[in-house]
Amino acid sequence: MAAEQVGSFLVEVPRATARQRRALLTFAVEDRIAAPIQSVQVVQGPLDSADPGQLLAFVLSNDIMAEIAAAAPPHLPEFLMIPRPSAEGGPVWSVWREGTRAVVRTSDGTGFALRAPMLPLLWARAGNPKLYSLAEPLDEALPAEDLSAAPPPPDPRDLAFSFARPPAAGTGGVAEWRWAAMAAGAALLIHLGLTAFDTAALRRIAQDERIAAEAAIASVLPGVPLSGDVAPILARLTPAPSDAGRGPFLPLLNEVAGTLARNPATVGFRRLSWGRRDNTLVVLMQSPGLEDLQRIEQDLETAGFAVRSGAATAGNGGAEVEMRITGGAGG
């Protein structure tokens, strides 16, 4: 599927079970997308990382996800068909250009597509990462290493991913590699998938960008006609992304998790939610005994958190209580 239809983000989350990971991914990207969170699907992507707290998050609209069920494979972002470049002393981009369109895979595992004339501007804004050119030559101003004579093959683990077939926890082995082999065959048949993008979707994107450019320039230079390529106008008038809008959920969760990690008691999270308005973490905690839960509450309060506990229950060899946690030693 076309890379324009999928947003990709490298996020940092605390250690969690597979069931908790999806909720954490959603919270991690909520403040980084320009769409209501209920209008999109957030899916964990494939990422080979030595840091278990680093996850690759894919974001796509509910409408696109619904279309996937009726579409023919492959059901993966086309930038996964470009192998993730290894970071050699800094960020690296691998670029597959065909005509006026370029698909980029970065060394952190994320990817995106853009019009080739916009690549020099975006490359400069990203801090001039090292470049590999895998297909048609890039702009002469870009110092790219040409690998087009023998581009590296896709990674089977990336090709095993599918939006129509989310990976189940604990599965893998022969079945996973069989799916990877099928996906690799499909990738070869469609020339790495970079020509099989949805042209109708691209036309809609171009129309939306022209409307946005016309609205943006009207307040600055009224009456000035637009040229054929509106990308430079949008690039100049769009503010650079900022981290200032990122929410307080992850810092609070990190502080709480760090405090719990120092407590020798065995504790588990059965339910986790967060109140944005008062920045309150609501956790249903489970532990072998009530004494453990009381010790955990005391440790959290000692660390500077305000803790309100509900009625604790015990039975079947364990105890649980809901805690509402606000504040923190680092906040």
Side-chain angles (χ1 to χ4, degrees):
M1 62 184 297
E4 288 88 346
Q5 297 174 326
V6 184
S8 62
F9 304 89
L10 184 67
V11 299
E12 299 278 348
V13 300
R15 292 189 179 185
T17 64
R19 181 173 297 179
Q20 296 166 339
R21 196 170 292 136
R22 181 172 181 177
L24 293 175
L25 279 178
T26 301
F27 281 118
V29 304
E30 183 174 5
D31 292 333
R32 300 170 67 178
I33 61 175
I37 196 65
Q38 64 271 18
S39 70
V40 300
Q41 298 284 330
V42 182
V43 181
Q44 183 179 345
L47 181 67
D48 184 12
S49 174
D51 183 354
Q54 280 191 340
L55 298 178
L56 181 61
F58 292 151
V59 181
L60 64 166
S61 71
N62 292 333
D63 293 339
I64 296 297
M65 185 65 89
E67 292 175 5
I68 287 175
H75 302 297
L76 73 162
E78 58 187 337
F79 54 76
L80 287 187
M81 297 179 185
I82 300 174
R84 175 186 175 186
S86 61
E88 300 174 358
V92 183
W93 287 8
S94 287
V95 184
W96 188 287
R97 176 184 176 180
E98 288 192 353
T100 60
R101 184 170 181 264
V103 177
V104 180
R105 184 76 187 277
T106 72
S107 53
D108 66 6
T110 58
F112 56 93
L114 75 167
R115 286 182 298 279
M118 287 291 295
L119 186 59
L121 175 61
L122 193 60
W123 173 76
R125 287 189 174 184
N128 304 339
K130 184 176 181 179
L131 288 172
Y132 293 134
S133 175
L134 307 184
E136 295 179 10
L138 306 183
D139 190 291
E140 293 181 356
L142 296 173
E145 181 178 344
D146 187 4
L147 303 181
S148 59
D155 186 337
R157 293 174 182 171
D158 288 343
L159 295 179
F161 175 82
S162 174
F163 286 117
R165 177 185 167 275
T171 62
V174 175
E176 178 179 343
W177 288 100
R178 183 179 298 135
W179 178 263
M182 292 172 60
L188 293 175
L189 288 176
I190 61 175
H191 192 54
L192 287 180
L194 297 177
T195 58
F197 55 86
D198 188 341
T199 55
L202 294 180
R203 283 196 296 269
R204 289 196 300 269
I205 291 171
Q207 291 171 356
D208 291 344
E209 287 184 344
R210 173 164 288 276
I211 293 172
E214 290 173 345
I217 200 172
S219 60
V220 181
L221 299 172
V224 174
L226 291 178
S227 61
D229 186 7
V230 300
I233 295 174
L234 288 176
R236 294 294 298 273
L237 297 179
T238 302
S242 171
D243 289 335
R246 300 185 68 176
F249 166 73
L250 286 179
L252 175 61
L253 185 58
N254 272 316
E255 292 175 7
V256 172
T259 301
L260 295 179
R262 294 188 293 269
N263 192 302
T266 301
V267 62
F269 290 0
R270 290 197 57 196
R271 187 177 65 246
L272 176 68
S273 62
W274 177 61
R276 176 188 292 270
R277 179 171 299 177
D278 53 359
N279 190 26
T280 298
L281 199 64
V282 183
V283 185
L284 181 59
M285 292 192 185
Q286 189 175 46
S287 192
L290 290 173
E291 297 82 2
D292 293 330
L293 294 176
Q294 292 171 350
R295 190 181 305 114
I296 289 168
E297 182 177 356
Q298 292 172 358
D299 285 353
L300 289 170
E301 291 176 342
T302 301
F305 297 97
V307 183
R308 289 175 291 162
S309 297
T313 59
N316 297 324
E320 63 181 31
V321 65
E322 183 181 88
M323 295 187 185
R324 304 179 66 88
I325 307 168
T326 57

